[in-house]
PDB file of all heavy atoms in Angstrom:
ATOM      1  N   VAL F   1      42.619  15.598 -10.474  1.00 97.00           N
ATOM      2  CA  VAL F   1      41.565  16.476 -10.975  1.00 97.00           C
ATOM      3  C   VAL F   1      42.065  17.205 -12.205  1.00 97.00           C
ATOM      4  O   VAL F   1      43.148  17.800 -12.194  1.00 97.00           O
ATOM      5  CB  VAL F   1      41.137  17.492  -9.889  1.00 97.00           C
ATOM      6  CG1 VAL F   1      40.118  18.469 -10.439  1.00 97.00           C
ATOM      7  CG2 VAL F   1      40.598  16.777  -8.664  1.00 97.00           C
ATOM      8  N   ILE F   2      41.255  17.166 -13.269  1.00 96.00           N
ATOM      9  CA  ILE F   2      41.526  17.945 -14.474  1.00 96.00           C
ATOM     10  C   ILE F   2      40.446  19.011 -14.546  1.00 96.00           C
ATOM     11  O   ILE F   2      39.248  18.697 -14.562  1.00 96.00           O
ATOM     12  CB  ILE F   2      41.511  17.074 -15.737  1.00 96.00           C
ATOM     13  CG1 ILE F   2      42.601  16.008 -15.644  1.00 96.00           C
ATOM     14  CG2 ILE F   2      41.693  17.940 -16.982  1.00 96.00           C
ATOM     15  CD1 ILE F   2      42.591  15.026 -16.789  1.00 96.00           C
ATOM     16  N   SER F   3      40.881  20.267 -14.565  1.00 95.00           N
ATOM     17  CA  SER F   3      39.947  21.380 -14.607  1.00 95.00           C
ATOM     18  C   SER F   3      40.571  22.536 -15.376  1.00 95.00           C
ATOM     19  O   SER F   3      41.726  22.902 -15.134  1.00 95.00           O
ATOM     20  CB  SER F   3      39.605  21.826 -13.181  1.00 95.00           C
ATOM     21  OG  SER F   3      38.738  22.919 -13.195  1.00 95.00           O
ATOM     22  N   ASN F   4      39.826  23.089 -16.312  1.00 93.00           N
ATOM     23  CA  ASN F   4      40.282  24.224 -17.130  1.00 93.00           C
ATOM     24  C   ASN F   4      41.597  23.937 -17.846  1.00 93.00           C
ATOM     25  O   ASN F   4      42.459  24.806 -17.949  1.00 93.00           O
ATOM     26  CB  ASN F   4      40.404  25.489 -16.283  1.00 93.00           C
ATOM     27  CG  ASN F   4      39.089  25.904 -15.683  1.00 93.00           C
ATOM     28  OD1 ASN F   4      38.049  25.786 -16.323  1.00 93.00           O
ATOM     29  ND2 ASN F   4      39.123  26.373 -14.452  1.00 93.00           N
ATOM     30  N   GLY F   5      41.793  22.699 -18.295  1.00 92.00           N
ATOM     31  CA  GLY F   5      42.989  22.339 -19.045  1.00 92.00           C
ATOM     32  C   GLY F   5      44.230  22.141 -18.192  1.00 92.00           C
ATOM     33  O   GLY F   5      45.330  22.055 -18.718  1.00 92.00           O
ATOM     34  N   LYS F   6      44.066  22.060 -16.865  1.00 94.00           N
ATOM     35  CA  LYS F   6      45.201  21.863 -15.958  1.00 94.00           C
ATOM     36  C   LYS F   6      44.954  20.654 -15.069  1.00 94.00           C
ATOM     37  O   LYS F   6      43.813  20.331 -14.749  1.00 94.00           O
ATOM     38  CB  LYS F   6      45.422  23.106 -15.102  1.00 94.00           C
ATOM     39  CG  LYS F   6      45.818  24.319 -15.927  1.00 94.00           C
ATOM     40  CD  LYS F   6      46.108  25.506 -15.060  1.00 94.00           C
ATOM     41  CE  LYS F   6      46.519  26.680 -15.953  1.00 94.00           C
ATOM     42  NZ  LYS F   6      46.986  27.798 -15.186  1.00 94.00           N
ATOM     43  N   VAL F   7      46.043  20.010 -14.671  1.00 96.00           N
ATOM     44  CA  VAL F   7      45.963  18.800 -13.855  1.00 96.00           C
ATOM     45  C   VAL F   7      46.536  19.090 -12.478  1.00 96.00           C
ATOM     46  O   VAL F   7      47.566  19.747 -12.341  1.00 96.00           O
ATOM     47  CB  VAL F   7      46.785  17.657 -14.494  1.00 96.00           C
ATOM     48  CG1 VAL F   7      46.638  16.370 -13.705  1.00 96.00           C
ATOM     49  CG2 VAL F   7      46.411  17.449 -15.929  1.00 96.00           C
ATOM     50  N   SER F   8      45.871  18.559 -11.462  1.00 96.00           N
ATOM     51  CA  SER F   8      46.394  18.672 -10.101  1.00 96.00           C
ATOM     52  C   SER F   8      46.086  17.384  -9.347  1.00 96.00           C
ATOM     53  O   SER F   8      45.193  16.624  -9.722  1.00 96.00           O
ATOM     54  CB  SER F   8      45.786  19.867  -9.363  1.00 96.00           C
ATOM     55  OG  SER F   8      44.395  19.687  -9.212  1.00 96.00           O
ATOM     56  N   MET F   9      46.846  17.150  -8.300  1.00 96.00           N
ATOM     57  CA  MET F   9      46.597  16.019  -7.404  1.00 96.00           C
ATOM     58  C   MET F   9      45.812  16.597  -6.234  1.00 96.00           C
ATOM     59  O   MET F   9      46.337  17.366  -5.436  1.00 96.00           O
ATOM     60  CB  MET F   9      47.922  15.409  -6.937  1.00 96.00           C
ATOM     61  CG  MET F   9      47.780  14.166  -6.115  1.00 96.00           C
ATOM     62  SD  MET F   9      47.620  12.649  -7.066  1.00 96.00           S
ATOM     63  CE  MET F   9      49.193  12.551  -7.893  1.00 96.00           C
ATOM     64  N   ASP F  10      44.544  16.224  -6.151  1.00 95.00           N
ATOM     65  CA  ASP F  10      43.649  16.804  -5.146  1.00 95.00           C
ATOM     66  C   ASP F  10      43.733  16.085  -3.802  1.00 95.00           C
ATOM     67  O   ASP F  10      43.502  16.688  -2.759  1.00 95.00           O
ATOM     68  CB  ASP F  10      42.216  16.765  -5.679  1.00 95.00           C
ATOM     69  CG  ASP F  10      41.267  17.599  -4.864  1.00 95.00           C
ATOM     70  OD1 ASP F  10      41.618  18.756  -4.584  1.00 95.00           O
ATOM     71  OD2 ASP F  10      40.188  17.080  -4.508  1.00 95.00           O
ATOM     72  N   PHE F  11      44.065  14.791  -3.834  1.00 96.00           N
ATOM     73  CA  PHE F  11      44.117  14.013  -2.606  1.00 96.00           C
ATOM     74  C   PHE F  11      45.169  12.924  -2.743  1.00 96.00           C
ATOM     75  O   PHE F  11      45.334  12.324  -3.801  1.00 96.00           O
ATOM     76  CB  PHE F  11      42.754  13.362  -2.321  1.00 96.00           C
ATOM     77  CG  PHE F  11      42.784  12.335  -1.227  1.00 96.00           C
ATOM     78  CD1 PHE F  11      42.787  12.722   0.096  1.00 96.00           C
ATOM     79  CD2 PHE F  11      42.846  10.978  -1.519  1.00 96.00           C
ATOM     80  CE1 PHE F  11      42.830  11.776   1.115  1.00 96.00           C
ATOM     81  CE2 PHE F  11      42.890  10.037  -0.520  1.00 96.00           C
ATOM     82  CZ  PHE F  11      42.877  10.433   0.805  1.00 96.00           C
ATOM     83  N   ALA F  12      45.883  12.680  -1.658  1.00 95.00           N
ATOM     84  CA  ALA F  12      46.797  11.544  -1.559  1.00 95.00           C
ATOM     85  C   ALA F  12      46.827  11.110  -0.106  1.00 95.00           C
ATOM     86  O   ALA F  12      46.804  11.940   0.799  1.00 95.00           O
ATOM     87  CB  ALA F  12      48.198  11.915  -2.042  1.00 95.00           C
ATOM     88  N   ASP F  13      46.869   9.801   0.118  1.00 94.00           N
ATOM     89  CA  ASP F  13      46.859   9.318   1.499  1.00 94.00           C
ATOM     90  C   ASP F  13      48.261   9.185   2.099  1.00 94.00           C
ATOM     91  O   ASP F  13      48.423   8.625   3.169  1.00 94.00           O
ATOM     92  CB  ASP F  13      46.103   7.994   1.602  1.00 94.00           C
ATOM     93  CG  ASP F  13      46.783   6.865   0.862  1.00 94.00           C
ATOM     94  OD1 ASP F  13      47.801   7.104   0.176  1.00 94.00           O
ATOM     95  OD2 ASP F  13      46.297   5.718   0.955  1.00 94.00           O
ATOM     96  N   CYS F  14      49.260   9.743   1.440  1.00 91.00           N
ATOM     97  CA  CYS F  14      50.628   9.692   1.958  1.00 91.00           C
ATOM     98  C   CYS F  14      50.852  10.801   2.993  1.00 91.00           C
ATOM     99  O   CYS F  14      50.091  11.756   3.065  1.00 91.00           O
ATOM    100  CB  CYS F  14      51.643   9.795   0.821  1.00 91.00           C
ATOM    101  SG  CYS F  14      51.441  11.240  -0.210  1.00 91.00           S
ATOM    102  N   ARG F  15      51.911  10.654   3.786  1.00 92.00           N
ATOM    103  CA  ARG F  15      52.176  11.600   4.876  1.00 92.00           C
ATOM    104  C   ARG F  15      52.699  12.945   4.412  1.00 92.00           C
ATOM    105  O   ARG F  15      52.310  13.984   4.931  1.00 92.00           O
ATOM    106  CB  ARG F  15      53.189  11.009   5.862  1.00 92.00           C
ATOM    107  CG  ARG F  15      52.624   9.969   6.768  1.00 92.00           C
ATOM    108  CD  ARG F  15      53.623   9.559   7.817  1.00 92.00           C
ATOM    109  NE  ARG F  15      54.822   9.027   7.166  1.00 92.00           N
ATOM    110  CZ  ARG F  15      56.011   8.956   7.716  1.00 92.00           C
ATOM    111  NH1 ARG F  15      56.188   9.378   8.934  1.00 92.00           N
ATOM    112  NH2 ARG F  15      57.032   8.463   7.069  1.00 92.00           N
ATOM    113  N   ASP F  16      53.599  12.940   3.433  1.00 92.00           N
ATOM    114  CA  ASP F  16      54.303  14.184   3.107  1.00 92.00           C
ATOM    115  C   ASP F  16      53.473  15.191   2.315  1.00 92.00           C
ATOM    116  O   ASP F  16      53.723  16.385   2.392  1.00 92.00           O
ATOM    117  CB  ASP F  16      55.619  13.902   2.392  1.00 92.00           C
ATOM    118  CG  ASP F  16      55.447  13.082   1.134  1.00 92.00           C
ATOM    119  OD1 ASP F  16      54.310  12.960   0.627  1.00 92.00           O
ATOM    120  OD2 ASP F  16      56.465  12.563   0.638  1.00 92.00           O
ATOM    121  N   GLN F  17      52.499  14.745   1.533  1.00 94.00           N
ATOM    122  CA  GLN F  17      51.585  15.611   0.777  1.00 94.00           C
ATOM    123  C   GLN F  17      52.290  16.540  -0.228  1.00 94.00           C
ATOM    124  O   GLN F  17      51.743  17.575  -0.604  1.00 94.00           O
ATOM    125  CB  GLN F  17      50.718  16.448   1.729  1.00 94.00           C
ATOM    126  CG  GLN F  17      49.812  15.624   2.619  1.00 94.00           C
ATOM    127  CD  GLN F  17      48.700  14.957   1.844  1.00 94.00           C
ATOM    128  OE1 GLN F  17      47.885  15.635   1.255  1.00 94.00           O
ATOM    129  NE2 GLN F  17      48.681  13.634   1.825  1.00 94.00           N
ATOM    130  N   ILE F  18      53.477  16.158  -0.669  1.00 95.00           N
ATOM    131  CA  ILE F  18      54.200  16.976  -1.649  1.00 95.00           C
ATOM    132  C   ILE F  18      53.433  17.025  -2.967  1.00 95.00           C
ATOM    133  O   ILE F  18      53.299  18.078  -3.577  1.00 95.00           O
ATOM    134  CB  ILE F  18      55.635  16.441  -1.860  1.00 95.00           C
ATOM    135  CG1 ILE F  18      56.441  16.655  -0.589  1.00 95.00           C
ATOM    136  CG2 ILE F  18      56.303  17.126  -3.054  1.00 95.00           C
ATOM    137  CD1 ILE F  18      57.809  16.006  -0.609  1.00 95.00           C
ATOM    138  N   CYS F  19      52.886  15.907  -3.381  1.00 95.00           N
ATOM    139  CA  CYS F  19      52.155  15.873  -4.650  1.00 95.00           C
ATOM    140  C   CYS F  19      50.877  16.713  -4.583  1.00 95.00           C
ATOM    141  O   CYS F  19      50.495  17.344  -5.572  1.00 95.00           O
ATOM    142  CB  CYS F  19      51.829  14.435  -5.043  1.00 95.00           C
ATOM    143  SG  CYS F  19      50.911  13.510  -3.799  1.00 95.00           S
ATOM    144  N   VAL F  20      50.220  16.747  -3.446  1.00 96.00           N
ATOM    145  CA  VAL F  20      49.002  17.537  -3.290  1.00 96.00           C
ATOM    146  C   VAL F  20      49.328  19.033  -3.298  1.00 96.00           C
ATOM    147  O   VAL F  20      48.562  19.845  -3.827  1.00 96.00           O
ATOM    148  CB  VAL F  20      48.261  17.150  -1.995  1.00 96.00           C
ATOM    149  CG1 VAL F  20      47.067  18.045  -1.752  1.00 96.00           C
ATOM    150  CG2 VAL F  20      47.834  15.691  -2.049  1.00 96.00           C
ATOM    151  N   ASN F  21      50.467  19.399  -2.753  1.00 96.00           N
ATOM    152  CA  ASN F  21      50.876  20.809  -2.697  1.00 96.00           C
ATOM    153  C   ASN F  21      51.563  21.286  -3.975  1.00 96.00           C
ATOM    154  O   ASN F  21      51.894  22.467  -4.089  1.00 96.00           O
ATOM    155  CB  ASN F  21      51.793  21.045  -1.499  1.00 96.00           C
ATOM    156  CG  ASN F  21      51.063  20.825  -0.189  1.00 96.00           C
ATOM    157  OD1 ASN F  21      49.898  21.174  -0.049  1.00 96.00           O
ATOM    158  ND2 ASN F  21      51.742  20.227   0.772  1.00 96.00           N
ATOM    159  N   HIS F  22      51.787  20.391  -4.934  1.00 95.00           N
ATOM    160  CA  HIS F  22      52.421  20.749  -6.198  1.00 95.00           C
ATOM    161  C   HIS F  22      51.485  21.638  -7.003  1.00 95.00           C
ATOM    162  O   HIS F  22      50.271  21.496  -6.954  1.00 95.00           O
ATOM    163  CB  HIS F  22      52.739  19.470  -6.981  1.00 95.00           C
ATOM    164  CG  HIS F  22      53.680  19.661  -8.115  1.00 95.00           C
ATOM    165  ND1 HIS F  22      53.297  20.211  -9.314  1.00 95.00           N
ATOM    166  CD2 HIS F  22      54.992  19.373  -8.240  1.00 95.00           C
ATOM    167  CE1 HIS F  22      54.336  20.241 -10.129  1.00 95.00           C
ATOM    168  NE2 HIS F  22      55.379  19.743  -9.495  1.00 95.00           N
ATOM    169  N   LYS F  23      52.046  22.553  -7.770  1.00 96.00           N
ATOM    170  CA  LYS F  23      51.231  23.443  -8.596  1.00 96.00           C
ATOM    171  C   LYS F  23      50.548  22.648  -9.705  1.00 96.00           C
ATOM    172  O   LYS F  23      50.967  21.551 -10.061  1.00 96.00           O
ATOM    173  CB  LYS F  23      52.087  24.554  -9.189  1.00 96.00           C
ATOM    174  CG  LYS F  23      53.058  24.089 -10.269  1.00 96.00           C
ATOM    175  CD  LYS F  23      53.796  25.258 -10.879  1.00 96.00           C
ATOM    176  CE  LYS F  23      54.691  24.820 -12.001  1.00 96.00           C
ATOM    177  NZ  LYS F  23      53.993  24.499 -13.236  1.00 96.00           N
ATOM    178  N   GLU F  24      49.497  23.217 -10.251  1.00 96.00           N
ATOM    179  CA  GLU F  24      48.817  22.604 -11.382  1.00 96.00           C
ATOM    180  C   GLU F  24      49.773  22.542 -12.574  1.00 96.00           C
ATOM    181  O   GLU F  24      50.611  23.413 -12.748  1.00 96.00           O
ATOM    182  CB  GLU F  24      47.585  23.416 -11.770  1.00 96.00           C
ATOM    183  CG  GLU F  24      46.513  23.448 -10.728  1.00 96.00           C
ATOM    184  CD  GLU F  24      45.353  24.323 -11.147  1.00 96.00           C
ATOM    185  OE1 GLU F  24      45.592  25.401 -11.748  1.00 96.00           O
ATOM    186  OE2 GLU F  24      44.211  23.935 -10.878  1.00 96.00           O
ATOM    187  N   ILE F  25      49.613  21.524 -13.407  1.00 94.00           N
ATOM    188  CA  ILE F  25      50.472  21.381 -14.575  1.00 94.00           C
ATOM    189  C   ILE F  25      49.621  21.376 -15.840  1.00 94.00           C
ATOM    190  O   ILE F  25      48.477  20.921 -15.836  1.00 94.00           O
ATOM    191  CB  ILE F  25      51.352  20.114 -14.494  1.00 94.00           C
ATOM    192  CG1 ILE F  25      50.503  18.849 -14.380  1.00 94.00           C
ATOM    193  CG2 ILE F  25      52.334  20.222 -13.338  1.00 94.00           C
ATOM    194  CD1 ILE F  25      51.298  17.558 -14.440  1.00 94.00           C
ATOM    195  N   SER F  26      50.201  21.881 -16.932  1.00 91.00           N
ATOM    196  CA  SER F  26      49.508  21.875 -18.228  1.00 91.00           C
ATOM    197  C   SER F  26      50.471  21.851 -19.410  1.00 91.00           C
ATOM    198  O   SER F  26      50.048  21.682 -20.538  1.00 91.00           O
ATOM    199  CB  SER F  26      48.602  23.097 -18.354  1.00 91.00           C
ATOM    200  OG  SER F  26      49.378  24.279 -18.350  1.00 91.00           O
ATOM    201  N   LYS F  27      51.741  22.023 -19.165  1.00 88.00           N
ATOM    202  CA  LYS F  27      52.743  22.067 -20.233  1.00 88.00           C
ATOM    203  C   LYS F  27      53.293  20.668 -20.496  1.00 88.00           C
ATOM    204  O   LYS F  27      53.402  19.841 -19.592  1.00 88.00           O
ATOM    205  CB  LYS F  27      53.902  22.993 -19.861  1.00 88.00           C
ATOM    206  CG  LYS F  27      53.487  24.392 -19.480  1.00 88.00           C
ATOM    207  CD  LYS F  27      53.076  25.182 -20.667  1.00 88.00           C
ATOM    208  CE  LYS F  27      52.791  26.619 -20.235  1.00 88.00           C
ATOM    209  NZ  LYS F  27      52.089  27.352 -21.236  1.00 88.00           N
ATOM    210  N   THR F  28      53.673  20.413 -21.738  1.00 87.00           N
ATOM    211  CA  THR F  28      54.218  19.120 -22.125  1.00 87.00           C
ATOM    212  C   THR F  28      55.425  18.756 -21.261  1.00 87.00           C
ATOM    213  O   THR F  28      56.296  19.580 -21.006  1.00 87.00           O
ATOM    214  CB  THR F  28      54.635  19.149 -23.608  1.00 87.00           C
ATOM    215  OG1 THR F  28      53.508  19.504 -24.388  1.00 87.00           O
ATOM    216  CG2 THR F  28      55.163  17.796 -24.066  1.00 87.00           C
ATOM    217  N   ASN F  29      55.449  17.518 -20.792  1.00 87.00           N
ATOM    218  CA  ASN F  29      56.511  16.911 -19.987  1.00 87.00           C
ATOM    219  C   ASN F  29      56.555  17.380 -18.535  1.00 87.00           C
ATOM    220  O   ASN F  29      57.477  17.017 -17.814  1.00 87.00           O
ATOM    221  CB  ASN F  29      57.893  17.072 -20.632  1.00 87.00           C
ATOM    222  CG  ASN F  29      57.984  16.330 -21.946  1.00 87.00           C
ATOM    223  OD1 ASN F  29      57.392  15.260 -22.103  1.00 87.00           O
ATOM    224  ND2 ASN F  29      58.685  16.886 -22.902  1.00 87.00           N
ATOM    225  N   GLU F  30      55.597  18.174 -18.077  1.00 91.00           N
ATOM    226  CA  GLU F  30      55.518  18.479 -16.650  1.00 91.00           C
ATOM    227  C   GLU F  30      54.916  17.268 -15.937  1.00 91.00           C
ATOM    228  O   GLU F  30      54.097  16.552 -16.503  1.00 91.00           O
ATOM    229  CB  GLU F  30      54.639  19.705 -16.396  1.00 91.00           C
ATOM    230  CG  GLU F  30      55.257  21.008 -16.799  1.00 91.00           C
ATOM    231  CD  GLU F  30      54.373  22.202 -16.445  1.00 91.00           C
ATOM    232  OE1 GLU F  30      53.145  22.100 -16.560  1.00 91.00           O
ATOM    233  OE2 GLU F  30      54.945  23.242 -16.055  1.00 91.00           O
ATOM    234  N   SER F  31      55.326  17.062 -14.687  1.00 95.00           N
ATOM    235  CA  SER F  31      54.867  15.888 -13.948  1.00 95.00           C
ATOM    236  C   SER F  31      54.527  16.231 -12.510  1.00 95.00           C
ATOM    237  O   SER F  31      55.097  17.150 -11.928  1.00 95.00           O
ATOM    238  CB  SER F  31      55.955  14.806 -13.918  1.00 95.00           C
ATOM    239  OG  SER F  31      56.255  14.361 -15.203  1.00 95.00           O
ATOM    240  N   ILE F  32      53.618  15.443 -11.949  1.00 97.00           N
ATOM    241  CA  ILE F  32      53.354  15.416 -10.516  1.00 97.00           C
ATOM    242  C   ILE F  32      53.602  13.973 -10.101  1.00 97.00           C
ATOM    243  O   ILE F  32      53.058  13.041 -10.699  1.00 97.00           O
ATOM    244  CB  ILE F  32      51.904  15.823 -10.187  1.00 97.00           C
ATOM    245  CG1 ILE F  32      51.630  17.251 -10.634  1.00 97.00           C
ATOM    246  CG2 ILE F  32      51.652  15.675  -8.689  1.00 97.00           C
ATOM    247  CD1 ILE F  32      50.179  17.682 -10.460  1.00 97.00           C
ATOM    248  N   ILE F  33      54.422  13.796  -9.076  1.00 96.00           N
ATOM    249  CA  ILE F  33      54.822  12.453  -8.672  1.00 96.00           C
ATOM    250  C   ILE F  33      54.495  12.237  -7.204  1.00 96.00           C
ATOM    251  O   ILE F  33      54.837  13.049  -6.352  1.00 96.00           O
ATOM    252  CB  ILE F  33      56.338  12.247  -8.906  1.00 96.00           C
ATOM    253  CG1 ILE F  33      56.655  12.462 -10.382  1.00 96.00           C
ATOM    254  CG2 ILE F  33      56.777  10.877  -8.429  1.00 96.00           C
ATOM    255  CD1 ILE F  33      58.120  12.516 -10.703  1.00 96.00           C
ATOM    256  N   CYS F  34      53.837  11.119  -6.926  1.00 95.00           N
ATOM    257  CA  CYS F  34      53.581  10.687  -5.557  1.00 95.00           C
ATOM    258  C   CYS F  34      54.436   9.443  -5.328  1.00 95.00           C
ATOM    259  O   CYS F  34      54.063   8.337  -5.730  1.00 95.00           O
ATOM    260  CB  CYS F  34      52.095  10.377  -5.353  1.00 95.00           C
ATOM    261  SG  CYS F  34      51.699   9.866  -3.673  1.00 95.00           S
ATOM    262  N   LEU F  35      55.589   9.627  -4.708  1.00 94.00           N
ATOM    263  CA  LEU F  35      56.514   8.511  -4.522  1.00 94.00           C
ATOM    264  C   LEU F  35      55.969   7.402  -3.625  1.00 94.00           C
ATOM    265  O   LEU F  35      56.109   6.222  -3.962  1.00 94.00           O
ATOM    266  CB  LEU F  35      57.854   9.022  -3.970  1.00 94.00           C
ATOM    267  CG  LEU F  35      58.779   9.673  -4.986  1.00 94.00           C
ATOM    268  CD1 LEU F  35      60.026  10.206  -4.298  1.00 94.00           C
ATOM    269  CD2 LEU F  35      59.149   8.716  -6.075  1.00 94.00           C
ATOM    270  N   PRO F  36      55.353   7.710  -2.481  1.00 94.00           N
ATOM    271  CA  PRO F  36      54.877   6.618  -1.632  1.00 94.00           C
ATOM    272  C   PRO F  36      53.870   5.698  -2.331  1.00 94.00           C
ATOM    273  O   PRO F  36      53.884   4.491  -2.129  1.00 94.00           O
ATOM    274  CB  PRO F  36      54.236   7.331  -0.442  1.00 94.00           C
ATOM    275  CG  PRO F  36      54.883   8.674  -0.409  1.00 94.00           C
ATOM    276  CD  PRO F  36      55.156   9.012  -1.840  1.00 94.00           C
ATOM    277  N   ASN F  37      53.018   6.280  -3.184  1.00 94.00           N
ATOM    278  CA  ASN F  37      52.007   5.480  -3.869  1.00 94.00           C
ATOM    279  C   ASN F  37      52.414   5.071  -5.277  1.00 94.00           C
ATOM    280  O   ASN F  37      51.647   4.418  -5.982  1.00 94.00           O
ATOM    281  CB  ASN F  37      50.677   6.250  -3.915  1.00 94.00           C
ATOM    282  CG  ASN F  37      50.102   6.440  -2.545  1.00 94.00           C
ATOM    283  OD1 ASN F  37      50.310   5.639  -1.646  1.00 94.00           O
ATOM    284  ND2 ASN F  37      49.364   7.525  -2.358  1.00 94.00           N
TER     285      ASN F  37
END
């Protein structure tokens, strides 16, 4: 989901949900990673 200039992972079907619980990102070179997928 991209909203108000920030990116977040709203849903993932993996067990650990680390990517879903990650904070929104908007700065250059910040990342959200879902390893299982």
Side-chain angles (χ1 to χ4, degrees):
V1 176
I2 299 175
S3 178
N4 299 322
K6 296 183 179 188
V7 184
S8 64
M9 185 85 64
D10 193 48
F11 169 79
D13 66 355
C14 56
R15 284 187 301 158
D16 57 16
Q17 297 291 298
I18 292 172
C19 56
V20 175
N21 295 322
H22 195 283
K23 71 176 184 75
E24 295 177 321
I25 59 174
S26 64
K27 306 286 185 194
T28 303
N29 295 325
E30 287 183 323
S31 298
I32 298 175
I33 301 170
C34 181
L35 282 177
N37 294 331

